[in-house]
Amino acid sequence: MTNSPYAIVEASGQQFWLQPNRYYDIDRLAADVDAIITLKEVLLVNDGKATTLGKPYVANAEVSLKVMTHRRGPKIIVYKMQKKKKTRRKNGHRQELTRVMVESITVGGKSIA
C-alpha cells in the first residue's frame, strides 16, 4: 500500500482513485478550461496515516480538480455482422473526456494534500 494521501471519489457514475498533483481523464464535464471543480462525493480518504471510510460519503470531505483540457478517447470499432444474410455494419466511437488535475484533498476544512 502507498503512504501518500489519496481519495476515492464518485464522478460520472464511476469511482476514481485520486492522488494529489496527478491528472486523470473522466467523462466530459460541463466546465471551462482552467476552471476549478469541487467533488463532494468522497467515498474514502487516506491521509497517509489513517483511513476514513464514508457511509456512503465522508462528511465534510471534498476534492478540488482543475480542468486542464477537453479531449477525446481512443477510437473503438464496433462491427456487427449476420452470417449468411449479407448484413454488415461498421461503426466507430470516441468517448468525450475531460482531463483534470487534482489540486487538493480536504477533510473538515483542513487540506491533507
Side-chain angles (χ1 to χ4, degrees):
M1 212 59 178
T2 178
N3 285 336
S4 63
Y6 65 88
I8 297 177
V9 300
E10 188 177 308
S12 305
Q14 299 174 335
Q15 295 177 5
F16 294 94
W17 175 304
L18 302 179
Q19 291 180 310
N21 301 320
R22 288 193 173 189
Y23 66 86
Y24 298 90
D25 290 334
I26 60 177
D27 284 347
R28 182 65 59 99
L29 299 172
D32 295 329
V33 175
D34 293 330
I36 302 294
I37 295 173
T38 303
L39 297 178
K40 296 186 185 288
E41 293 85 19
V42 180
L43 302 169
L44 181 141
V45 175
N46 184 333
D47 60 0
K49 297 181 278 295
T51 301
T52 305
L53 184 62
K55 297 176 185 176
Y57 302 122
V58 178
N60 300 322
E62 55 187 39
V63 177
S64 296
L65 306 173
K66 181 178 180 183
V67 177
M68 294 173 66
T69 183
H70 296 292
R71 54 191 309 265
R72 298 178 80 192
K75 185 170 229 178
I76 297 171
I77 303 297
V78 180
Y79 189 76
K80 296 181 180 179
M81 182 182 98
Q82 290 182 349
K83 57 189 176 186
K84 301 179 186 173
K85 303 284 191 232
K86 291 189 181 175
T87 302
R88 287 153 177 71
R89 181 181 300 153
K90 183 176 178 182
N91 222 342
H93 175 77
R94 290 185 72 182
Q95 186 68 30
E96 301 287 328
L97 301 172
T98 299
R99 181 163 282 181
V100 295
M101 174 74 78
V102 179
E103 295 284 314
S104 67
I105 299 171
T106 308
V107 178
K110 188 170 135 185
S111 178
I112 63 168

